[in-house]
Every structure is written in structure tokens, then in C-alpha cells.
Amino acid sequence: MTPVRIPAAVLERARSATQTVTALSGVAVSAEELLGGRAALVGFQAGGRVSAGGATRLIAGGGGWCAVTLSRADDVDAVAALLESDHVPEDYWAAVEQRVRDAGVQSFTERARLLGLPVGVLGETAPAGPVIRALGARATPAPVSELLVADLSSMWAGPLCGHLLSRAGATVVKVESAARPDGTRGGPAEFFDWMNAGKLSYRADFARPDGLRRLLAAADVVIESSRPAALTRRGLGPGDVPARPGRIWVRITGHGTAGERAHWVAFGDDAAVSGGLVGGTAAAPEFCGDAIADPLTGIHATGVVLESHADGGGELIEMSMAAVAAGYTHLPPGDEKDCTAIPVVTAHAPALGSGTDLVDDLVARRLVGSC
């Protein structure tokens, strides 16, 4: 078994980010555990040009390298259109790799993105910090333990931010719909429990979102990872929800919210490649860690949220996973460290919707108290 490995300089910078979280929350946070914890929990191994989770591949073609993720059934179904074929071939990865070689990286990537597939071109994204805008009035900071956090995110980066805030004592509500739950519910239970135990589970109906709108109105922090227009179309965006002094709204995306990048889909491994955060050599790159853009973004997002809260909040914070990863590419490659720290998971994540009534009661009391 080959554990995932991370360059020592990347680990050191991640430790600095976790120290910010610890200083502001009082909770000890381990960079090694957060970056390598999923792989250690479920037995993922370093895979070279196949990601540790197995769903993403690094492929060479004319013009460089790209990373393609086929983790969802819809992604695999889209391969037929990607190949301009009537069917998905049995060995679809071999066919995809051949298409990259035949078409070249740029042409292949453009078509893949038109089909909504997660793909990243090696090094296409420049480093960038969070984009922070005023959202409303500031407020005198309350203890973190008094915060109500609505976590609408899924997968890893956003849920990790919610997980760390929960460890700091905040009441974190995981919001899902029965029709479209967090995709990690269907994956390894150990990982889902790690990210979501300690949260309350709220079942939302996006077709009839009055209850969710009330939750957002009562929340001090909102975490979401949908495409920028997804919530706004339903009247649930940061500008649609009744104002609350000090509210912090965190929007985590794969590639930012500006221009065509706002529509690009991303997962942790392809976002890291887009940011240029890879191992190996320039001629033979390999994946770095396990979906590393996800935990790095979750760590940095938590630090920015806590800093904003300490300053009174009232901000919209936008984080791009690819840009966060790109912020690590200037570091010297140096030695690599095995990440084998196994998180201690002592509780199960709540069943979907099990806390809905409790959350509705909490929200009702909060909204009455704020009148």
C-alpha cells in the first residue's frame, strides 16, 4: 500500500493556515490529518496519473496536460457526446485518453466543459486570494459557540469548513434535499461521518423553499458550493435573503465566479491540476495528495470566516479551489511526506432530515428574537 504523499513545503504552508484556525477558534487542527485523512480512513493509495480516489486521470495531449474527472454516472454518460459517438465504450478511459491525444488539450477541454464535465488544464489558473465584498452591516462579534451556520455545500471543501466551525462550538446545519443529497452520502461512510457528524441535518425542498429561506435569514454564516446563479434563481442568493447584521456568506467554487469560469465544474483533483499543484516532474506530472484542492480550500475558507467574524462580519467571501491550489505552486518541491494520520471518528453523521423540526424551532426562536 502506497500512502498519499505531499511536498513538505505544501504541508508547512497548510500548517500555517491551520494555525490561523486554531488561534481564532481555540481548536487544535492538524494539517496532516485534514490533507491525508480521507485516504487514511478509506485506504486510498497514491496513484501517479490516476487520482487516489480513482475518478480522475492526468492525460497528455498536444498543448500540455489535463485532468479529467468521471466520478458521477452523468459524467460517464456524457462520454458518448464527448467522443461524438452513439454509445459509451466499455473501456471509456482509453477512448478519452485517445481523444485528448487526437484533439489536443485545448480543443478537448473546451468540448468537455460545454458538456459540463470536470476538467482542468495543468497550470491554467493563477494564484488569487479570496474575493471579499461587503454584504451588510457589521456586528459586535459573538462567541463562535453562539453562531448558527447553514451549510448548503457538498463533497469536501465546504463541509470541511462546516466541520471545523462545528468543532469550534458553532451550531452547524447541513442542508440537503431528498432528491439531490450530498454525493458523499453514497461513498465511504467513514469519510461522510468525519465531515458531518456533529451537524444537524435539514431536509430542504428547493421547489418550495420557504423553510430554507427562513433558515438562511436566521443564519450567521452560510456556506455554499453551488454555481453562482443556482441559488439566485430560486431567490436564495445572498442578496435575496433578509439581512442579518454580521452575516458571513461563503461561496466556494471550482474556478471562481467571473466570466466563463463561473460555469466550469470542478472536483478537488482536477482543480488542483488547474492550479498547477502537482507532484512528479514537469515532463511527467502526477497527482499531489488526495483531491488536495478540497481540504486546502476548506482550511483557508475557515480561517477567512473566523477572521471576518472577529472583525464584525457582514461580508460575502468567494473562494476558488483552483486559485487556492495555485497559491501553493511556487513552493519548492523538496521532500515529500507520507500523510497517514487517521482521523478519530466517534459518531455517525445524522440521517438526512433528522434534525429538520429541531432546526425549524431554533430558527423560529432566532427570528422572533431578532425582531
Side-chain angles (χ1 to χ4, degrees):
M1 180 174 178
T2 306
V4 296
R5 312 197 78 203
I6 297 174
V10 170
L11 267 178
E12 189 57 35
R13 179 152 189 251
R15 286 192 194 104
S16 177
T18 58
Q19 287 166 3
T20 297
V21 173
T22 296
L24 292 169
S25 69
V27 176
V29 180
S30 163
E32 289 87 346
E33 177 184 301
L34 296 182
L35 297 187
R38 183 177 76 160
L41 271 175
V42 304
F44 287 166
Q45 302 179 40
R49 291 180 196 164
V50 178
S51 65
T56 310
R57 300 205 178 183
L58 258 171
I59 306 171
W65 292 81
C66 65
V68 184
T69 300
L70 301 176
S71 62
R72 304 165 296 183
D74 288 348
D75 296 332
V76 177
D77 290 343
V79 169
L82 180 66
L83 301 177
E84 300 179 90
S85 172
D86 294 331
H87 66 282
V88 178
E90 183 175 349
D91 189 351
Y92 54 82
W93 272 120
V96 168
E97 291 174 358
Q98 187 62 51
R99 176 53 61 98
V100 175
R101 291 192 290 269
D102 292 344
V105 166
Q106 195 60 43
S107 177
F108 171 85
T109 300
E110 288 173 1
R111 182 168 181 80
R113 285 176 170 153
L114 284 174
L115 294 169
L117 289 168
V119 58
V121 176
L122 179 58
E124 68 185 334
T125 300
V131 176
I132 302 176
R133 302 185 180 92
L135 179 61
R138 294 185 180 274
T140 302
V144 174
S145 60
E146 296 181 12
L147 297 181
L148 176 62
V149 180
D151 180 3
L152 282 70
S153 66
S154 61
M155 307 307 286
W156 195 351
L160 175 56
C161 180
H163 165 79
L164 293 173
L165 293 174
S166 176
R167 284 174 58 182
T171 298
V172 180
V173 179
K174 183 169 184 61
V175 178
E176 300 170 88
S177 71
R180 194 169 184 178
D182 185 335
T184 55
R185 273 194 183 271
E190 303 94 328
F191 175 65
F192 188 78
D193 288 342
W194 178 36
M195 285 295 101
N196 297 294
K199 301 177 184 179
L200 298 171
S201 178
Y202 186 85
R203 182 187 289 110
D205 182 351
F206 285 96
R208 304 175 65 182
D210 289 347
L212 177 54
R213 185 175 288 109
R214 286 170 59 82
L215 170 58
L216 296 179
D220 302 297
V221 179
V222 178
I223 306 168
E224 51 118 330
S225 58
S226 52
R227 296 192 208 182
L231 292 178
T232 303
R233 283 198 302 267
R234 296 177 170 88
L236 298 170
D240 304 316
V241 177
R244 183 177 183 85
R247 177 181 295 133
I248 301 164
W249 193 292
V250 189
R251 177 177 286 156
I252 295 174
T253 62
H255 297 276
T257 61
E260 63 177 358
R261 285 178 174 254
H263 305 289
W264 294 358
V265 180
F267 287 94
D269 284 302
D270 54 85
V273 170
S274 177
L277 182 54
V278 294
T281 66
E286 298 180 350
F287 286 108
C288 176
D290 172 26
I292 194 168
D294 267 309
L296 286 177
T297 303
I299 293 167
H300 282 273
T302 307
V304 176
V305 168
L306 291 169
E307 288 173 339
S308 177
H309 174 63
D311 289 338
E315 294 180 321
L316 169 64
I317 299 167
E318 296 181 339
M319 306 280 293
S320 154
M321 292 199 300
V324 170
Y328 283 75
T329 58
H330 69 284
L331 300 172
D335 295 333
E336 291 188 332
K337 303 291 186 181
D338 292 345
C339 279
T340 57
I342 301 177
V344 177
V345 182
T346 58
H348 294 298
L352 200 159
S354 60
T356 300
D357 291 342
L358 176 62
V359 171
D360 283 338
D361 289 343
L362 172 61
V363 165
R365 293 195 301 273
R366 274 195 151 228
L367 293 180
V368 168
S370 65
C371 293

